[in-house]
């Protein structure tokens, strides 16, 4: 039981840098609920005092985030100013439960979706880029379960701004300029291997005075 | 990655892959728990027709105190049998805790090298060595914090484990290099304490600095210090069967195909320098494509 408790403490600290900080500031009450031997307790205290523990926590967060960032790189670029807080909120009291990070993508999609709907995430272009990457994620999921790589999984998406002016800078982790022209831009997404090709189907530009909201 | 494999498979003597990327695990106790991902599994099967496939798994968490996932272990063994792997390996660390409701640490967590952990590991390793058609190896871990007052040094722990459970060592020289830099010990002293006759595979890799540490990021070329350790180790590792260059996919952007293959060629040259009569051994490790956007 003791080794089990020891491993549990180390994992919980790895996933919660804030708890490490609280312990470093003297709050050792977190250890009270574990049945640790004196040697294990000493090891835990030594571990949190080592600067490498902070790196350990950072790498764990990075690995967890990678599961999301691989599927939503452009959404994450747009979210950058608030991303850390968003992930803190998402991950608070919700440790990863699967070595393949199953469920992480859905949880991320859920919180972004809710916050866009409630207006908490009022970031220019975010909703359409999030919708675009969500469709890409669906395509990728479909493709993963298929037997051929070249069957051309496709989806139709609608943008409110010219896709090329959005996707090109975002693919280079750059935020597109504010105030791009608006309209209705329908595009076909075609997943080829690991690459998504975007093929324009139609573009209807708003009149300059149409005042379509972003 | 798949395109790299198409272009470069003929350049390799074997391929080391992370099999966990080629299946979906629906969770402990579920019916048909491990669902192969068709594209990845087909790619593996196709590669296996051309060269040996070594499985380097990441999800077993063999050092977890409260979990020994026999379903996972049996699945890994089944894949090794199907692909006729010349050996398979896991990490001397843990990441999963909690029966019933699991938690994943999201990183390979170090273990204390104690008798208690050794006793825990021996039957688990024997589970593999008893049924596998091929050797089972454990890899020395990279760690950014460490535990004091241990019963064994890491190298003595590995020696004892190999002796009592009949497994082998996957010696990750970049992990060793990283640990020696970060924790201030001599990597050569470690190698002198490790029974190198147990080493069947060596990993080499690159890494970067972060937060004041050298990290095992698997990015970029193999570092000079790691090459020096390889030159030291190869002539002494009498049962060595392969060297794997591990790289993250971002390395394609840093080195390109040719730069990656240069690492393989250099490793091959070191083997041939010390064992000119032996079969060529130099290998590249790769993760299977995740088929994402």
């Amino acid at each position: 039981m003791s080794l089990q408790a020891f491993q549990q403490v180390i994992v919980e600290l790895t996933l919660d840098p804030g708890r490490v900080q609280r312990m470093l500031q003297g709050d050792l009450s977190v250890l009270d609920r574990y049945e640790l031997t004196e040697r294990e307790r000493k090891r835990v205290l030594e571990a949190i005092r080592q600067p490498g523990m902070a790196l350990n926590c950072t790498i764990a967060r990075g690995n967890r985030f990678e599961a999301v960032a691989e599927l939503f790189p452009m959404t994450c670029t747009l979210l950058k100013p608030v991303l850390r807080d968003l992930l803190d909120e998402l991950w608070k009291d919700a440790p990863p439960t699967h070595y393949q990070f199953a469920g992480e993508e859905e949880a991320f999609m859920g919180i972004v979706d809710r916050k866009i709907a409630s207006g908490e995430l009022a970031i220019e272009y975010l909703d359409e880029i999030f919708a675009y990457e969500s469709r890409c994620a669906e395509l990728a999921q479909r493709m993963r379960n298929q037997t051929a790589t070249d069957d051309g999984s496709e989806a139709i998406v609608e943008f409110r701004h010219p896709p090329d002016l959005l996707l090109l800078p975002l693919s280079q982790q750059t935020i597109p300029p504010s105030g791009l022209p608006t309209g209705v831009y329908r595009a076909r997404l075609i997943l080829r291997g690991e690459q998504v090709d975007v093929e324009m189907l139609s573009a209807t530009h708003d009149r300059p005075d149409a005042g379509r909201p972003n | 990655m798949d395109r790299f494999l198409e272009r470069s498979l003929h350049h390799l003597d074997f391929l080391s892959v992370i099999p966990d990327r080629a299946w979906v695990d629906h969770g402990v106790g579920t019916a048909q728990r491990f669902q192969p991902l068709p594209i990845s599994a087909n790619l593996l099967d196709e590669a296996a027709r051309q060269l040996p496939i070594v499985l380097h798994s990441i999800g077993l968490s063999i050092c977890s105190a409260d979990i020994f996932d026999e379903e996972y272990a049996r699945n890994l063994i089944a894949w090794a049998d199907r692909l006729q792997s010349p050996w398979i390996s896991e990490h001397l660390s843990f990441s999963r805790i909690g029966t019933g409701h699991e938690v994943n640490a999201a990183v390979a967590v170090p273990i204390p090298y104690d008798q208690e952990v050794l006793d825990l590991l021996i039957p688990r390793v024997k589970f593999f060595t008893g049924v596998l058609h091929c050797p089972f190896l454990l890899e020395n871990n990279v760690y950014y914090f460490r535990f004091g007052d241990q019963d064994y040094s890491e190298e003595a722990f590995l020696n004892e484990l190999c002796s009592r459970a009949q497994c082998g060592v996957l010696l990750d020289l970049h992990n060793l290099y990283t640990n020696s830099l970060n924790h201030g010990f001599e990597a050569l002293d470690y190698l002198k304490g490790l029974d190198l006759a147990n080493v069947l595979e060596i990993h080499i890799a690159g890494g970067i600095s972060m937060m004041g540490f050298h990290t095992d990021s698997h990015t970029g070329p193999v570092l000079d210090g790691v090459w020096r350790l390889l030159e030291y180790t190869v002539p002494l590792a009498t049962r060595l069967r392969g060297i794997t260059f591990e790289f993250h996919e971002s390395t394609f952007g840093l080195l390109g195909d040719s730069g990656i293959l240069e690492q393989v060629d250099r490793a091959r040259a070191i083997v041939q320098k010390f064992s000119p009569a032996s079969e060529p051994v130099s290998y590249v490790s790769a993760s299977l494509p995740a088929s994402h956007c």
Side-chain angles (χ1 to χ4, degrees), chain B residues 59-286:
Chain B
L60 177 62
S61 189
I62 196 169
C63 298
S64 291
D66 55 357
I67 299 172
F68 179 57
D69 189 346
E70 275 196 32
E71 291 176 354
Y72 181 106
R74 289 184 198 285
N75 182 56
L76 185 60
I77 290 167
W79 277 61
D81 285 343
R82 183 168 63 80
L83 295 165
Q84 282 299 295
S85 299
W87 67 86
I88 66 173
S89 58
E90 243 294 350
H91 299 79
L92 192 63
S93 59
F94 74 99
S95 57
R96 299 164 58 189
I97 58 163
T99 48
H101 186 71
E102 259 189 56
V103 171
N104 172 31
V107 68
V109 183
I111 51 167
Y113 297 115
D114 290 346
Q115 190 62 45
E116 182 184 14
V117 180
L118 188 64
D119 292 341
L120 176 87
L121 273 175
I122 286 169
R124 295 177 178 186
V125 173
K126 284 184 173 175
F127 180 91
F128 284 95
T129 55
V131 296
L132 262 177
H133 70 273
C134 63
F136 179 68
L137 317 184
L138 283 169
E139 176 185 333
N140 57 305
N141 195 29
V142 67
Y143 48 85
Y144 301 103
F145 65 92
R146 59 179 174 175
F147 304 119
D149 186 25
Q150 303 181 99
D151 295 345
Y152 294 91
S153 65
E154 183 176 274
E155 55 273 33
F157 186 90
L158 279 166
N159 292 344
E160 191 71 10
L161 184 61
C162 290
S163 161
R164 292 176 58 189
Q166 290 79 53
C167 62
V169 171
L170 192 178
L171 176 60
D172 190 315
L173 287 176
H174 187 254
N175 285 354
L176 171 59
Y177 174 81
T178 302
N179 292 338
S180 71
L181 276 187
N182 291 337
H183 300 291
F185 66 87
E186 284 295 330
L188 281 180
D189 289 343
Y190 178 103
L191 292 174
K192 286 171 186 165
L194 185 68
D195 184 350
L196 294 175
N198 291 323
V199 174
L200 271 69
E201 184 185 4
I202 291 175
H203 277 181
I204 52 177
I208 56 169
S209 294
M210 182 177 167
M211 294 171 63
F213 288 81
H214 182 71
T215 65
D216 182 41
S217 60
H218 292 180
T219 47
V222 177
L223 302 168
D224 285 346
V226 176
W227 286 122
R228 283 194 291 273
L229 294 177
L230 185 66
E231 294 234 1
Y232 174 87
T233 306
V234 165
L236 301 173
T238 51
R239 292 166 61 213
L240 180 65
R241 294 176 65 180
I243 300 170
T244 299
F245 171 52
E246 287 192 297
F247 61 93
H248 186 269
E249 289 189 7
S250 60
T251 300
F252 283 118
L254 297 169
L255 300 181
D257 284 12
S258 60
I260 289 168
L261 294 175
E262 274 175 25
Q263 313 303 306
V264 176
D265 286 341
R266 186 165 169 185
R268 181 179 279 128
I270 289 172
V271 170
Q272 289 173 345
K273 175 178 165 188
F274 293 108
S275 313
S278 72
E279 289 182 15
V281 282
S282 61
Y283 314 114
V284 68
S285 168

Side-chain angles (χ1 to χ4, degrees), chain A residues 7 43 50 63 96 100 136, chain B residues 23 65 104 106 114 146 149 293:
Chain A
Q7 290 190 345
R43 281 176 175 166
Q50 294 173 51
N63 288 342
Q100 292 180 318
C136 289
Chain B
W23 66 59
N104 172 31
D114 290 346
R146 59 179 174 175
D149 186 25
C293 294

Side-chain angles (χ1 to χ4, degrees), chain B residues 3-60:
Chain B
R3 291 183 192 130
F4 170 75
L5 291 180
E6 278 172 24
R7 292 190 295 264
S8 307
L9 217 53
H10 66 279
H11 204 90
L12 312 174
D13 303 312
F14 78 72
L15 185 68
S16 172
V17 298
I18 299 171
D20 311 61
R21 304 268 172 88
W23 66 59
V24 175
D25 183 347
H26 293 294
V28 176
T30 52
Q32 308 225 324
R33 175 177 166 187
F34 296 97
Q35 177 194 341
L37 292 168
I39 293 173
S40 300
N42 291 345
L43 190 66
L44 258 187
D45 285 336
E46 177 59 33
R49 282 191 275 277
Q50 300 177 54
L51 77 181
I53 303 290
V54 167
L55 303 181
H56 184 47
S57 75
I58 57 173
L60 177 62

Side-chain angles (χ1 to χ4, degrees), chain A:
Chain A
M1 279 303 288
S2 185
L3 180 61
Q4 189 176 327
F6 175 72
Q7 290 190 345
Q8 192 177 345
V9 176
I10 295 294
V11 169
E12 288 180 3
L13 292 172
T14 295
L15 292 170
D16 187 354
R19 191 176 301 193
V20 175
Q21 280 308 312
R22 289 194 295 279
M23 286 180 68
L24 284 172
Q25 287 160 8
D27 177 10
L28 302 183
S29 60
V30 65
L31 294 182
D32 293 345
R33 62 192 175 98
Y34 301 102
E35 288 181 28
L36 299 175
T37 64
E38 200 46 47
R39 179 159 79 155
E40 287 165 340
R41 187 180 168 89
K42 192 174 165 198
R43 281 176 175 166
V44 171
L45 295 176
E46 283 173 357
I48 62 166
R49 289 189 198 110
Q50 294 173 51
M53 177 54 94
L55 176 60
N56 191 59
C57 296
T58 299
I59 290 173
R61 271 178 78 90
N63 288 342
R64 189 177 187 185
F65 174 59
E66 198 174 344
V68 166
E70 278 187 355
L71 289 171
F72 294 94
M74 297 182 184
T75 299
C76 290
T77 297
L78 290 170
L79 284 171
K80 197 171 179 184
V82 298
L83 188 58
R84 178 180 290 271
D85 290 341
L86 184 79
L87 294 177
D88 283 345
E89 183 182 336
L90 177 64
W91 292 344
K92 184 174 168 31
D93 303 323
T97 57
H98 196 285
Y99 67 91
Q100 292 180 318
F101 296 109
E104 295 292 322
E105 164 196 339
E106 290 82 359
F108 177 79
M109 288 172 75
I111 194 170
V112 173
D113 208 26
R114 278 197 308 280
K115 284 181 178 287
I116 288 175
S118 69
E120 268 186 87
L121 284 176
I123 295 171
E124 193 175 20
Y125 313 127
L126 179 65
D127 55 346
E128 57 194 305
I129 288 300
F130 176 60
Y132 160 71
E133 290 195 314
S134 297
R135 297 308 301 273
C136 289
E138 281 170 29
L139 285 181
Q141 182 63 31
R142 208 187 306 162
M143 179 69 93
R144 286 177 88 200
N145 291 308
Q146 286 173 348
T147 52
T149 53
D150 58 353
D151 70 355
S153 288
E154 295 181 2
I156 306 293
V157 291
E158 205 170 275
F159 293 88
R160 289 199 319 279
H161 300 87
D164 52 336
L165 299 183
L166 291 174
L167 301 181
L168 187 63
L170 283 168
S171 69
Q172 295 159 351
Q173 299 180 322
T174 301
I175 294 176
S178 182
L180 289 176
T182 58
V184 179
Y185 306 87
R186 295 184 75 238
R188 188 196 319 273
L189 309 183
I190 307 166
L191 184 65
R192 294 192 174 98
E194 295 175 57
Q195 181 80 32
V196 175
D197 290 338
V198 179
E199 194 177 280
M200 282 305 297
L201 297 175
S202 64
T204 308
H205 306 286
D206 288 343
R207 282 174 295 136
D209 59 350
R212 195 182 187 96
N214 281 345

